[in-house]
Amino acid sequence: MIGKRVDALLAEKKQLEKRLDEAMKGGGAQGGDLLSGAEEVGGAKVLAKSVKVPTMKELQGLGDVVREGLGSGAAALLGELEEGKAGLVIVVTDDVRARGITAGGLVKSLAASTGIKGGGKDHMAQAGVPAEQGAQVLEAARVAIGAALAGAK
């Protein structure tokens, strides 16, 4: 019984790794390099991108990949999820966190201005987003990240 569960978990892990690999290569539904379009503000990169993923778990996985790929910066990923839902993940690199900018703090500031609800840790936070507000929330996240980086030392 335990062996079957372990096998199932390993198969799921392999499938998720394959999807992340395809996304980073520009395959699947991502349509291009996930890190393209990043701009520099205050010596760090800012990225705001919409991606198609089936679940929040996969959006979080992409968030980890983006955080590692940025080098220095912060990113907001709006996930267009299954069943017409949307979610937002914000990630922040370690050096930016050392400057006092956290993913959880960015989500809280967005909640105040957009009405979304969410939270998380210093390196990654998430929020549910009404699908019809996705583009507006993503732009607000880009602006909030840029403003935080421009003001941080």
Side-chain angles (χ1 to χ4, degrees):
M1 187 158 165
I2 291 176
K4 288 182 182 181
R5 181 67 179 140
V6 169
D7 289 343
L9 288 172
L10 288 173
E12 179 183 7
K13 178 182 181 277
K14 188 174 181 177
Q15 182 182 29
L16 290 172
E17 287 173 344
K18 183 178 177 183
R19 285 184 181 173
L20 285 174
D21 189 45
E22 287 174 0
M24 287 304 293
K25 289 180 183 174
Q30 304 309 316
D33 183 9
L34 201 52
L35 297 172
S36 69
E39 55 188 272
E40 190 161 323
V41 176
K45 293 177 184 168
V46 176
L47 179 70
K49 194 161 254 192
S50 181
V51 294
K52 290 185 187 232
V53 291
T55 66
M56 278 300 286
K57 187 173 185 176
E58 289 191 35
L59 183 61
Q60 291 168 342
L62 286 177
D64 282 334
V65 169
V66 167
R67 187 168 56 87
E68 290 174 16
L70 279 176
S72 174
L77 297 176
L78 177 73
E80 299 171 23
L81 309 174
E82 292 177 339
E83 300 175 10
K85 296 182 180 181
L88 180 73
V89 166
I90 294 182
V91 293
V92 177
T93 60
D94 293 342
D95 65 309
V96 171
R97 285 190 355 238
R99 293 165 54 184
I101 301 169
T102 65
L106 289 166
V107 166
K108 284 180 185 174
S109 71
L110 282 172
S113 65
T114 64
I116 63 171
K117 292 185 179 163
K121 299 184 178 185
D122 289 349
H123 72 288
M124 179 187 289
Q126 67 185 41
V129 177
E132 65 275 2
Q133 287 185 300
Q136 173 191 359
V137 170
L138 186 61
E139 177 59 17
R142 186 191 66 74
V143 170
I145 291 169
L149 287 170
K153 298 291 177 201

